[in-house]
Amino acid sequence: MALRVAKDWYGVETLGEGVSRIHEIHVADWLRCNIWHVQGRDRDLIIDTGMGLRPLVEEVARLGDRPITAIMTHSHFDHSAGLHQFHDRCGHHTEAEIIAHPDAANTVADTGYVRAETFTALPWEGFSHDQFEVKPAPLTRLLDEGDVVDLGDRAFKVFHLPGHSPGSIALYEAATGLLFSGDVVYDGALIDDLYHSEAEVLKESHARLRELPVTRVHAGHFESFGQDRMIEIIDEYLAGGRRVGDPDAWIAGEMNKETKDG
């Protein structure tokens, strides 16, 4: 059955502490990333920008009040494809070349996750999944370990936590204990076998997170969770669990779960 063009592309959920989760409604649950909006006194943060198929600022009304700093936690297509929509673009220097000159291979858009089943509606008339591409978005600020992103009344420290990708970062607000973890840790199957992933390095990054006084983890995918759950996830991964393995088989399993839940 032909898909319709979506009236609304983004959904917004307010979580408190000035944090909202934005998601692309019509991207499959098993793929879509969490787009985090953090309100500050002088400016706001957007942490990750999704697949960028419709303009965030134009479609999410609450983004129109203050200047926005957009940060990519890493350059994979599902987190960075909307970055070009923003003027103030930040990310780790080791992945700056990727997002400046993106293609299907270096943004891992060619790994089988972008397919017809990825979408439940179209962003525009005539869209096809094989048209998807990440547009160039040269970074205007390079981030590294220990840097601080200042919103006027809120400060987020940058943690460089490679393994999932060489430039993966997390943002931590010491005053609240909030951690925006990207794909370093989330409550799902973790990916450590992409072309620039390093499983042993990811374990080192997890060891750092275990020592961080976290109250809430707002991750790159799925639901948020607390410190105890974060440690459980890390321990399960260290024990050999929480691997995607073959993407086709994993996606088929996720789609089967959606069918049963539906």
Side-chain angles (χ1 to χ4, degrees), residues 4-12 23-27 54 59-60 120-123:
R4 62 181 175 83
V5 175
K7 178 182 178 183
D8 298 310
W9 193 254
Y10 297 103
V12 182
H23 65 274
E24 294 171 289
I25 301 168
H26 301 289
V27 174
R54 295 254 283 255
E59 297 205 16
V60 181
T120 59
L122 304 179

Tab-separated table of all heavy atoms in Angstrom, residues 4-12 23-27 54 59-60 120-123:
chain	number	residue	atom	x	y	z
A	4	ARG	N	1.210	7.617	2.578
A	4	ARG	CA	0.732	8.993	2.458
A	4	ARG	C	1.833	9.960	2.884
A	4	ARG	O	2.798	9.575	3.555
A	4	ARG	CB	-0.484	9.202	3.368
A	4	ARG	CG	-0.168	9.009	4.840
A	4	ARG	CD	-1.373	9.190	5.738
A	4	ARG	NE	-1.062	8.888	7.125
A	4	ARG	CZ	-0.503	9.735	7.977
A	4	ARG	NH1	-0.208	10.967	7.590
A	4	ARG	NH2	-0.250	9.370	9.224
A	5	VAL	N	1.693	11.218	2.520
A	5	VAL	CA	2.581	12.267	3.010
A	5	VAL	C	2.114	12.690	4.399
A	5	VAL	O	0.928	12.977	4.608
A	5	VAL	CB	2.592	13.478	2.060
A	5	VAL	CG1	3.438	14.607	2.648
A	5	VAL	CG2	3.120	13.074	0.692
A	6	ALA	N	3.020	12.696	5.354
A	6	ALA	CA	2.670	13.005	6.742
A	6	ALA	C	2.305	14.471	6.907
A	6	ALA	O	2.973	15.354	6.362
A	6	ALA	CB	3.827	12.658	7.662
A	7	LYS	N	1.251	14.719	7.663
A	7	LYS	CA	0.930	16.099	8.028
A	7	LYS	C	1.947	16.621	9.029
A	7	LYS	O	2.458	17.740	8.891
A	7	LYS	CB	-0.484	16.167	8.618
A	7	LYS	CG	-0.880	17.567	9.060
A	7	LYS	CD	-2.269	17.588	9.695
A	7	LYS	CE	-2.623	18.988	10.180
A	7	LYS	NZ	-3.951	19.012	10.860
A	8	ASP	N	2.217	15.841	10.055
A	8	ASP	CA	3.201	16.209	11.077
A	8	ASP	C	4.354	15.212	11.014
A	8	ASP	O	4.130	13.996	10.941
A	8	ASP	CB	2.570	16.176	12.467
A	8	ASP	CG	1.427	17.173	12.614
A	8	ASP	OD1	1.643	18.354	12.269
A	8	ASP	OD2	0.341	16.774	13.057
A	9	TRP	N	5.566	15.714	11.075
A	9	TRP	CA	6.736	14.835	11.034
A	9	TRP	C	7.362	14.649	12.414
A	9	TRP	O	7.910	13.597	12.719
A	9	TRP	CB	7.778	15.395	10.069
A	9	TRP	CG	8.855	14.396	9.751
A	9	TRP	CD1	10.152	14.386	10.196
A	9	TRP	CD2	8.721	13.241	8.908
A	9	TRP	NE1	10.831	13.304	9.697
A	9	TRP	CE2	9.975	12.576	8.895
A	9	TRP	CE3	7.662	12.701	8.174
A	9	TRP	CZ2	10.196	11.406	8.175
A	9	TRP	CZ3	7.882	11.535	7.449
A	9	TRP	CH2	9.135	10.904	7.466
A	10	TYR	N	7.254	15.663	13.262
A	10	TYR	CA	7.910	15.626	14.578
A	10	TYR	C	6.889	15.571	15.708
A	10	TYR	O	5.870	16.257	15.673
A	10	TYR	CB	8.799	16.862	14.777
A	10	TYR	CG	9.940	16.948	13.801
A	10	TYR	CD1	9.880	17.826	12.714
A	10	TYR	CD2	11.076	16.158	13.953
A	10	TYR	CE1	10.927	17.908	11.810
A	10	TYR	CE2	12.130	16.237	13.052
A	10	TYR	CZ	12.044	17.110	11.983
A	10	TYR	OH	13.080	17.186	11.088
A	11	GLY	N	7.205	14.769	16.723
A	11	GLY	CA	6.472	14.768	17.974
A	11	GLY	C	7.361	15.309	19.074
A	11	GLY	O	8.586	15.172	19.019
A	12	VAL	N	6.759	15.947	20.065
A	12	VAL	CA	7.518	16.555	21.160
A	12	VAL	C	6.955	16.085	22.492
A	12	VAL	O	5.747	16.119	22.716
A	12	VAL	CB	7.455	18.104	21.099
A	12	VAL	CG1	8.300	18.713	22.219
A	12	VAL	CG2	7.935	18.611	19.740
A	23	HIS	N	10.995	13.603	18.359
A	23	HIS	CA	11.270	12.422	17.544
A	23	HIS	C	10.531	12.514	16.214
A	23	HIS	O	9.515	13.196	16.090
A	23	HIS	CB	10.893	11.123	18.277
A	23	HIS	CG	9.434	10.972	18.544
A	23	HIS	ND1	8.810	11.489	19.657
A	23	HIS	CD2	8.452	10.352	17.828
A	23	HIS	CE1	7.525	11.203	19.629
A	23	HIS	NE2	7.275	10.513	18.540
A	24	GLU	N	11.095	11.839	15.230
A	24	GLU	CA	10.492	11.782	13.911
A	24	GLU	C	9.435	10.677	13.932
A	24	GLU	O	9.762	9.494	13.932
A	24	GLU	CB	11.560	11.539	12.858
A	24	GLU	CG	12.526	12.717	12.746
A	24	GLU	CD	13.723	12.428	11.873
A	24	GLU	OE1	14.583	11.640	12.289
A	24	GLU	OE2	13.789	13.002	10.770
A	25	ILE	N	8.180	11.090	13.971
A	25	ILE	CA	7.067	10.181	14.220
A	25	ILE	C	7.056	9.009	13.247
A	25	ILE	O	6.769	7.875	13.628
A	25	ILE	CB	5.729	10.942	14.107
A	25	ILE	CG1	5.665	12.094	15.111
A	25	ILE	CG2	4.552	9.999	14.296
A	25	ILE	CD1	4.504	13.054	14.866
A	26	HIS	N	7.397	9.289	11.992
A	26	HIS	CA	7.203	8.290	10.940
A	26	HIS	C	8.494	7.574	10.547
A	26	HIS	O	8.555	6.937	9.500
A	26	HIS	CB	6.536	8.937	9.733
A	26	HIS	CG	5.211	9.546	10.076
A	26	HIS	ND1	4.091	8.784	10.364
A	26	HIS	CD2	4.844	10.844	10.243
A	26	HIS	CE1	3.085	9.590	10.661
A	26	HIS	NE2	3.515	10.831	10.601
A	27	VAL	N	9.514	7.670	11.401
A	27	VAL	CA	10.695	6.819	11.289
A	27	VAL	C	10.515	5.689	12.294
A	27	VAL	O	10.104	5.917	13.434
A	27	VAL	CB	11.987	7.614	11.586
A	27	VAL	CG1	13.200	6.698	11.616
A	27	VAL	CG2	12.179	8.712	10.535
A	54	ARG	N	12.575	16.814	7.424
A	54	ARG	CA	11.748	18.027	7.415
A	54	ARG	C	12.451	19.034	8.336
A	54	ARG	O	13.178	18.645	9.270
A	54	ARG	CB	10.334	17.716	7.907
A	54	ARG	CG	9.550	16.769	6.980
A	54	ARG	CD	8.483	17.469	6.179
A	54	ARG	NE	7.335	17.753	6.997
A	54	ARG	CZ	6.173	17.089	6.955
A	54	ARG	NH1	6.016	16.047	6.151
A	54	ARG	NH2	5.164	17.445	7.713
A	59	GLU	N	9.066	23.451	12.038
A	59	GLU	CA	7.954	22.581	12.421
A	59	GLU	C	7.770	22.427	13.923
A	59	GLU	O	6.718	21.977	14.366
A	59	GLU	CB	8.136	21.207	11.775
A	59	GLU	CG	8.094	21.282	10.257
A	59	GLU	CD	7.665	19.986	9.608
A	59	GLU	OE1	7.115	19.118	10.296
A	59	GLU	OE2	7.885	19.854	8.395
A	60	VAL	N	8.783	22.779	14.710
A	60	VAL	CA	8.670	22.675	16.172
A	60	VAL	C	8.659	24.097	16.731
A	60	VAL	O	9.691	24.753	16.842
A	60	VAL	CB	9.815	21.845	16.769
A	60	VAL	CG1	9.667	21.737	18.280
A	60	VAL	CG2	9.842	20.450	16.139
A	120	THR	N	6.929	5.004	7.944
A	120	THR	CA	5.494	4.701	7.969
A	120	THR	C	4.676	5.765	7.256
A	120	THR	O	3.468	5.629	7.108
A	120	THR	CB	4.999	4.570	9.419
A	120	THR	OG1	5.254	5.803	10.120
A	120	THR	CG2	5.723	3.430	10.135
A	121	ALA	N	5.333	6.832	6.835
A	121	ALA	CA	4.711	7.876	6.011
A	121	ALA	C	5.838	8.590	5.281
A	121	ALA	O	7.024	8.396	5.586
A	121	ALA	CB	3.902	8.857	6.863
A	122	LEU	N	5.481	9.421	4.315
A	122	LEU	CA	6.476	10.128	3.518
A	122	LEU	C	6.682	11.544	4.045
A	122	LEU	O	5.727	12.207	4.444
A	122	LEU	CB	6.024	10.196	2.053
A	122	LEU	CG	5.713	8.874	1.352
A	122	LEU	CD1	5.256	9.147	-0.080
A	122	LEU	CD2	6.907	7.941	1.389
A	123	PRO	N	7.926	12.046	4.027
A	123	PRO	CA	8.142	13.446	4.408
A	123	PRO	C	7.663	14.411	3.332
A	123	PRO	O	7.322	15.557	3.639
A	123	PRO	CB	9.657	13.530	4.592
A	123	PRO	CG	10.213	12.430	3.739
A	123	PRO	CD	9.193	11.340	3.762
